Amino acid sequence: MQTRRLQKLLSKGPRELLVRGQQEWSKTLECWLGRGSGERPDSDFIASEICPEYRDGSSETIAGHIMARIQNDLKGQWLELFSSRDAVSTITKRRFGDVAAQIIESADRVRRGRFDLLGFQDLSFGSPINWSCDPLSGTVAPADHWSKIDYLNPDSVGDQKVIWELNRHQYLVTLGQAYWLTRDERYAESFVDHVSSWIDSNPPKTGVNWTSSLELAFRLISWVWALSLFAKSDKVTPKFVFRLLKSITAQAEHIEAYLSYYFSPNTHLTGEALGLFYIGVAFPELQRSQHWRDLGLKILMDQLPIHVKDDGVYFEHASYYHRYTTDFYLHCYLLARAAGLEVPKLLEDRLALLLDHLMWLTKPDGSSTLYGDDDGGRLLPLGPRRPNDFRDTLAIGAAVFGREDWKHVAGDAPLELLWLLGPVGLESYDRLAAKPPAALHREFLTCGYHVVRDGWSRDSTYLFFDCGPHGTANCGHAHSDALSFEFATGSSNWFIDSGTYSYVGLSESRNSYRATTAHNTVTVDGCSQSVPAGPFSWDFIADVRGNGSIETSQSYYVAGEHHGFRRLADPVTHARTIMFRKPVDRWQSQSPYVLIQDRFEALAQHQYALHFHCAPGCMIEQEGACVNIVGRDGQYLFLLPLKVEENGDCSPIAISIEEGWVSRCYGQRESAPRLVIACTATGPGEVVTLLVPYMSGEGCLVRGKLADDLKKLSEQGRPLPDLLRSLSGWFANALPPSGDISL
């Protein structure tokens, strides 16, 4: 163990050793000498933290100046929104009346001490609020120095995600929105009461709410927004504002001292940098405002080419964190523009790539494909929205950059756009024409993702295929999902990712939701491709690679393979090829269909299981070797698996329908059916699965003809290529000349 630690230490570069050493020394001084702990006296804070031109005044004079500036000069220092209070409120009530009512209802629930956080509903943290309590387990985190708290230990902390989500204080922005819409001062009273209670209960450096610099950054962004929204309320007194400013400064100092340069140089680091950038722009009265502004912007720009690959995909290979990153850099762009800073071209270019990927991940029903972890949070929730619906970010990007294709996919203007960009931004979006993207498939080559569809309407067919690497560094947010796919038609999500559900609070679920069995791919002998260690690390990582793609006039093919099962006593290689057949009208159907070929290279006998996870609400019906899945709005999916022996003969396989679980938001899960297709093969093996979506009125033409012919030919033991080619032209000219759908 000591040798391993020494090797790990020696592997670090000089700068990492220096930064980590400084951070450890700071922790030591805080623990031994109490450095940075406790609330600072006003006089000391003014002398050291306020710009010289404001130091002659009292604390209340300084706070009064800050509030006057916020009230009267926001357009010059801040976002357009805050200089348009009356217009934003009027438009919200007139154009987004139903959403406005939901905001007010949510704010009223907060005032009553009831919170909806992540996937959890109607949580109570006590009265007064216990800011360190996990209400799910009743566990209260210890009030120790922050560095001594093991926040990943559910026995001592509970689920820290739930505690942190409350302490992000994003609900204060909801209170502020309700205040704008109603002018009800009770919302302002709640804002002041909650922040004052938090400062009282969370002195600097103490407790679980100081353990993550990212959580401090999220909280500061919420406070900045809330203070601006409540700026005209008499309840927000100079005394309160000055105390708030002292806490903001203490938290910004903490973030700077413990930036996640080497601890979690992912969205932790960029989120922390954005928090510093926010404070630097929003509070020019602070002595270090320009320093924090410049430092935050520098980190964000330095990390941009690392975090956003050349194909536009976030480097941790987790679509929810891709959305986080897109929001981070959108806010960075808007803040820089509002502050009159020069916006680097790299920022615009990479933002366009980030938003492009979000566009391609948007399924026909408006939801987004989830791959990798989903933590359920948001940078700044400005309206109620499904957690897996990223179209508000896409719409904001369309308004900012004038992209007609993004608007087409984003749809109607969302409330979030108005509250971030103001009436001017909404008008820009309304004037923008909506034009569907010209392309129907996109390869994200660096990260190995492929998306193909037959159109960009709400009744289109969509396929996402993952044949990219497991993740980055320790792959903390990756899942064991090599060669998994998602498939949707219109409002029916036939096969989806099972989600995340929990990080720490439900540890047994953490591994089950990121296991191979929870994804639309294959297990061998019941084993996962990759093997997890702790909640954010892995003992074994599958080596995945793409094998290219081919497009013909009628079909699109993509292939990949992984070596995750080569660790078995008899090594197995799994290769998957997907053929997306473009729409065909010879059967009076415009729907495409899909062939999935799974090939296994091995010597000994193995049990192979293909997993298919349906969305909640789907129903699976089995008739012999054929499966029919009932979706929404009269939509159906016909599925037929065929096992191919080495000599080309078809043989029976086992089909089972099971009750599974799908999580579409952290902490929330729903029952959903899943299909498992199992077979045993000795030596090389192959399974081909046919997917044909159709509408109820097309059953006699599509399902009837196709199913009858396939069943007859399957019973005759006909070789697969002959079987497929015999379907009266269904597959004529669809396959490459070799008759094999592998690439």
Side-chain angles (χ1 to χ4, degrees):
M1 181 65 71
Q2 294 298 328
T3 302
R4 186 182 303 174
R5 289 178 179 174
L6 180 60
Q7 290 175 341
K8 188 175 181 180
L9 182 65
L10 293 175
S11 69
K12 303 182 187 304
R15 186 178 185 279
E16 180 176 355
L17 291 173
L18 176 63
V19 171
R20 287 184 179 274
Q22 290 173 336
Q23 292 181 345
E24 290 302 315
W25 179 240
S26 293
K27 293 176 189 177
T28 301
L29 291 178
E30 291 172 8
C31 289
W32 288 2
L33 304 179
R35 191 179 74 173
S37 62
E39 186 172 335
R40 296 166 69 178
D42 289 358
S43 58
D44 175 61
F45 180 80
I46 292 172
S48 59
E49 300 296 345
I50 300 297
C51 288
E53 57 266 36
Y54 304 112
R55 288 179 187 167
D56 292 340
S58 65
S59 60
E60 294 196 4
T61 302
I62 294 169
H65 164 79
I66 291 173
M67 294 310 294
R69 175 183 56 75
I70 292 175
Q71 293 172 14
N72 302 317
D73 193 30
L74 281 167
K75 191 171 182 180
Q77 293 289 339
W78 195 224
L79 300 179
E80 180 78 23
L81 157 78
F82 293 112
S83 61
S84 309
R85 168 175 165 163
D86 292 339
V88 168
S89 301
T90 300
I91 295 170
T92 298
K93 288 183 281 191
R94 184 185 72 239
R95 185 164 169 176
F96 304 98
D98 291 344
V99 183
Q102 293 179 55
I103 289 173
I104 294 170
E105 179 184 2
S106 179
D108 288 340
R109 285 166 55 78
V110 167
R111 290 189 57 254
R112 295 194 299 269
R114 315 303 296 189
F115 299 87
D116 297 336
L117 303 172
L118 304 171
F120 303 104
Q121 306 294 312
D122 201 37
L123 295 178
S124 172
F125 293 80
S127 181
I129 292 174
N130 186 332
W131 299 103
S132 299
C133 177
D134 167 23
L136 302 176
S137 64
T139 305
V140 177
D144 298 334
H145 185 266
W146 67 273
S147 67
K148 303 299 183 183
I149 298 175
D150 182 7
Y151 57 83
L152 292 180
N153 182 354
D155 293 333
S156 62
V157 175
D159 189 341
Q160 95 285 358
K161 275 285 298 174
V162 179
I163 299 175
W164 284 349
E165 192 68 21
L166 174 75
N167 286 271
R168 287 183 175 188
H169 281 182
Q170 292 174 334
Y171 68 84
L172 295 178
V173 178
T174 304
L175 290 174
Q177 291 177 294
Y179 176 66
W180 274 30
L181 294 170
T182 64
R183 304 298 195 267
D184 189 335
E185 291 291 339
R186 290 177 298 177
Y187 299 121
E189 289 178 358
S190 294
F191 163 60
V192 173
D193 289 346
H194 282 213
V195 173
S196 298
S197 168
W198 190 93
I199 295 173
D200 290 340
S201 303
N202 295 271
K205 311 297 183 179
T206 302
V208 69
N209 295 313
W210 287 83
T211 55
S212 168
S213 294
L214 175 62
E215 298 304 315
L216 273 67
F218 273 114
R219 183 161 53 248
L220 292 186
I221 293 170
S222 298
W223 284 11
V224 167
W225 270 77
L227 184 62
S228 299
L229 290 169
F230 287 111
K232 294 188 177 182
S233 172
D234 292 338
K235 306 296 182 182
V236 182
T237 64
K239 182 178 180 179
F240 167 78
V241 172
F242 195 78
R243 194 176 186 215
L244 178 78
L245 189 65
K246 289 195 293 183
S247 184
I248 286 174
T249 303
Q251 293 179 70
E253 290 173 342
H254 186 90
I255 293 170
E256 182 181 4
Y258 300 104
L259 284 161
S260 298
Y261 284 118
Y262 301 103
F263 166 67
S264 293
N266 45 32
T267 49
H268 278 252
L269 181 57
T270 51
E272 292 156 12
L274 183 64
L276 292 178
F277 191 42
Y278 252 99
I279 298 305
V281 172
F283 293 104
E285 294 83 3
L286 291 173
Q287 175 106 333
R288 284 181 282 181
S289 62
Q290 185 169 345
H291 166 69
W292 285 329
R293 186 194 73 182
D294 294 345
L295 176 60
L297 184 59
K298 182 180 186 303
I299 293 172
L300 285 161
M301 291 303 101
D302 287 347
Q303 296 302 312
L304 184 54
I306 300 172
H307 286 204
V308 185
K309 296 299 186 180
D310 291 341
D311 59 4
V313 178
Y314 174 63
F315 78 143
E316 284 196 290
H317 298 194
S319 57
Y320 207 91
Y321 287 85
H322 180 102
R323 191 267 178 87
Y324 259 134
T325 297
T326 309
D327 285 338
F328 287 177
Y329 282 102
L330 259 179
H331 278 242
C332 173
Y333 179 87
L334 295 171
L335 281 174
R337 194 173 65 175
L341 302 176
E342 182 178 355
V343 178
K345 187 175 185 303
L346 176 66
L347 177 55
E348 293 187 352
D349 292 344
R350 292 290 162 120
L351 253 179
L353 292 173
L354 285 164
L355 288 157
D356 259 343
H357 189 60
L358 284 187
M359 178 184 75
W360 280 95
L361 291 183
T362 305
K363 294 187 279 190
D365 71 341
S367 66
S368 289
T369 286
L370 294 179
Y371 57 81
D373 272 344
D374 155 26
D375 87 338
R378 297 274 299 279
L379 169 59
L380 188 71
L382 293 170
R385 177 170 296 275
R386 289 181 299 170
N388 62 345
D389 182 354
F390 304 162
R391 289 176 295 174
D392 57 323
T393 297
L394 195 58
I396 292 165
V400 171
F401 295 106
R403 285 285 296 266
E404 297 173 337
D405 52 347
W406 296 345
K407 179 177 179 178
H408 176 84
V409 177
D412 295 337
L415 177 77
E416 294 93 332
L417 188 153
L418 172 64
W419 282 82
L420 185 62
L421 302 182
V424 173
L426 182 63
E427 291 170 8
S428 297
Y429 190 80
D430 288 342
R431 289 195 303 267
L432 186 64
K435 183 178 180 181
L440 294 177
H441 69 85
R442 172 67 67 86
E443 299 179 59
F444 297 91
L445 291 177
T446 304
C447 295
Y449 301 127
H450 297 255
V451 181
V452 58
R453 57 208 313 153
D454 69 335
W456 290 92
S457 67
R458 293 188 177 182
D459 59 356
S460 296
T461 298
Y462 166 98
L463 176 78
F464 169 87
F465 184 40
D466 174 4
C467 48
H470 191 63
T472 299
N474 65 348
C475 303
H477 290 304
H479 286 194
S480 185
D481 59 358
L483 307 187
S484 184
F485 74 101
E486 288 202 8
F487 186 53
T489 302
S491 59
S492 294
N493 287 302
W494 301 115
F495 303 122
I496 65 174
D497 187 281
S498 293
T500 299
Y501 188 46
S502 177
Y503 281 165
V504 176
L506 302 168
S507 57
E508 71 283 357
S509 296
R510 174 60 171 155
N511 287 339
S512 65
Y513 275 83
R514 57 180 178 162
T516 301
T517 52
H519 300 86
N520 301 311
T521 186
V522 178
T523 55
V524 178
D525 299 333
C527 298
S528 272
Q529 308 152 344
S530 299
V531 181
F536 298 101
S537 59
W538 298 81
D539 276 337
F540 177 84
I541 293 174
D543 178 24
V544 191
R545 71 182 186 191
N547 288 338
S549 62
I550 296 174
E551 183 176 19
T552 69
S553 61
Q554 297 182 358
S555 303
Y556 180 78
Y557 305 83
V558 60
E561 67 180 63
H562 74 86
H563 302 158
F565 300 122
R566 286 194 176 180
R567 72 183 191 275
L568 302 180
D570 175 58
V572 179
T573 297
H574 173 213
R576 170 170 277 185
T577 300
I578 295 182
M579 182 193 82
F580 184 97
R581 181 75 158 99
K582 297 177 182 179
V584 183
D585 59 8
R586 66 186 64 182
W587 292 96
Q588 301 177 12
S589 170
Q590 293 299 320
S591 296
Y593 58 86
V594 170
L595 275 175
I596 302 172
Q597 179 198 47
D598 290 295
R599 290 180 291 119
F600 310 101
E601 295 294 332
L603 296 176
Q605 184 181 86
H606 295 279
Q607 177 78 22
Y608 302 107
L610 286 64
H611 303 268
F612 299 88
H613 296 265
C614 295
C618 289
M619 293 188 298
I620 302 179
E621 302 169 347
Q622 181 184 354
E623 182 182 347
C626 299
V627 174
N628 212 41
I629 304 176
V630 183
R632 302 177 59 186
D633 302 326
Q635 296 172 328
Y636 295 82
L637 179 70
F638 172 74
L639 182 150
L640 180 71
L642 299 166
K643 178 186 173 186
V644 183
E645 299 289 2
E646 191 173 6
N647 62 6
D649 292 335
C650 298
S651 62
I653 60 175
I655 298 176
S656 59
I657 301 170
E658 303 174 356
E659 194 69 19
W661 294 98
V662 166
S663 173
R664 293 185 282 191
C665 182
Y666 188 98
Q668 182 184 82
R669 66 178 185 175
E670 303 169 79
S671 62
R674 63 186 179 193
L675 186 69
V676 180
I677 298 170
C679 66
T680 300
T682 301
E686 181 178 329
V687 176
V688 173
T689 307
L690 173 66
L691 307 176
V692 183
Y694 66 95
M695 298 298 294
S696 56
E698 301 171 345
C700 61
L701 293 171
V702 180
R703 185 191 181 282
K705 174 66 177 174
L706 193 56
D708 290 346
D709 285 355
L710 282 173
K711 282 165 55 177
K712 289 177 183 177
L713 293 166
S714 177
E715 291 167 359
Q716 297 170 12
R718 295 278 295 280
L720 180 66
D722 290 347
L723 183 155
L724 297 179
R725 290 183 182 282
S726 68
L727 294 179
S728 303
W730 240 150
F731 292 90
N733 302 317
L735 302 178
S738 66
D740 184 1
I741 66 171
S742 62
L743 297 181

